[in-house]
Amino acid sequence: MAEKPRLKLPKEAKKGEIIEIKTLMPHIMESGQRKDKDGKAIPRKIINKFTAEFNGKPVFSANLEPAIAANPYLQFSAKLEESGTFKFTWTDDDGSVITAEETITVS
Amino acid sequence: MPQLSRRAALALGAGGAALTLTGWNGRAFAAAKEAADDIAKFTGGKAAEKAKVTIELPEIAENGNTVPLMVSVDAPMTADNYVSEILVVADGNPNPGVATFHFSPMSGKAEASTRIRLATTQNIIVVAKTNKGEVFTGQKQVKVTIGGCGG
């Protein structure tokens, strides 16, 4: 898994303002339901977990099942009281983890 | 136990066959039961109140491979009163589990959006737990014209 996630969130926010964060991770999300041309089931391989932390504190996370569509899109909100750094992680069934960070100024 | 007469046994067998023929879909029944089991595990058996849950889904999903979903729970999201987890199940999919979302007071809102796969027309059931142990639920039916499980 060497994809780059796409993130959309504001660079600045006011204290106590609720901001929206949109994330998209390119990934086939192979459900395990499909069969190859020989009739054999294609093994499941999905992103099964997403986490979002701000300055080390959990904001939002999700456990994902094969019913999440390919290129998992997740939108959620955050209410911040200080400036800092968001850290996002996506975990694949194979154990690999992709991370991304974004800073935001809160005043 | 009295012996079943041959006639009675035949009638029982025919009855069973008739049930299948009339379309009591064993697989659909199994998915709905598994969804109920997932929910019971999530709630610990606690009864959920049908309130506070909003589900946004199209009435008709043209493409079951990607259906937009938004779930939201009416909650203050303060340190002493917030939604901690939201479970989403699809009671007609081969595997009913869809996602579990975790929130904290820093979430601001108990709301999340994603895109899901739906195999057939079915109900999306949402169950929310708060830090105070309250449980809320809601559900919405989606009609699916082309199923999205790749089979």
Side-chain angles (χ1 to χ4, degrees), chain A residues 19-66:
Chain A
I19 61 166
E20 292 296 326
I21 297 160
K22 300 182 188 190
T23 73
L24 182 85
M25 171 57 82
H27 194 284
I28 191 172
M29 297 294 278
E30 192 62 69
S31 66
Q33 297 289 326
R34 293 199 309 163
K35 298 209 186 341
D36 64 15
K37 58 177 167 50
D38 300 320
K40 256 181 50 183
I42 302 170
R44 166 188 150 150
K45 188 175 193 299
I46 68 166
I47 302 272
N48 59 52
K49 188 162 175 163
F50 167 81
T51 68
E53 283 183 356
F54 185 72
N55 290 345
K57 289 178 277 195
V59 172
F60 172 81
S61 67
N63 297 96
L64 307 177
E65 304 274 357

Side-chain angles (χ1 to χ4, degrees), chain B:
Chain B
M1 186 165 93
Q3 270 267 9
L4 268 182
S5 74
R6 211 175 263 177
R7 186 181 290 174
L10 269 173
L12 258 182
L19 262 177
T20 318
L21 282 172
T22 54
W24 179 31
N25 187 334
R27 213 171 83 159
F29 180 71
K33 180 173 185 308
E34 201 184 315
D37 290 346
D38 285 354
I39 293 168
K41 223 165 53 172
F42 179 74
T43 63
K46 182 162 178 182
E49 191 188 335
K50 288 194 173 80
K52 300 197 188 288
V53 173
T54 300
I55 303 170
E56 271 182 22
L57 266 175
E59 289 256 345
I60 301 174
E62 293 298 328
N63 179 3
N65 265 309
T66 175
V67 183
L69 167 73
M70 190 278 282
V71 300
S72 172
V73 180
D74 180 18
M77 299 308 276
T78 57
D80 46 70
N81 190 358
Y82 63 95
V83 169
S84 51
E85 284 177 83
I86 294 178
L87 173 75
V88 181
V89 299
D91 74 359
N93 269 356
N95 298 304
V98 175
T100 306
F101 300 122
H102 305 264
F103 302 87
S104 76
M106 273 182 81
S107 306
K109 288 190 291 185
E111 184 177 305
S113 299
T114 186
R115 295 188 296 230
I116 65 177
R117 291 171 170 145
L118 297 174
T120 183
T121 295
Q122 60 187 292
N123 298 304
I124 299 302
I125 306 168
V126 173
V127 186
K129 290 197 288 208
T130 72
N131 66 318
K132 302 201 295 187
E134 297 163 295
V135 185
F136 301 106
T137 188
Q139 72 176 55
K140 191 157 184 199
Q141 193 199 54
V142 190
K143 293 195 196 349
V144 177
T145 52
I146 303 173
C149 274

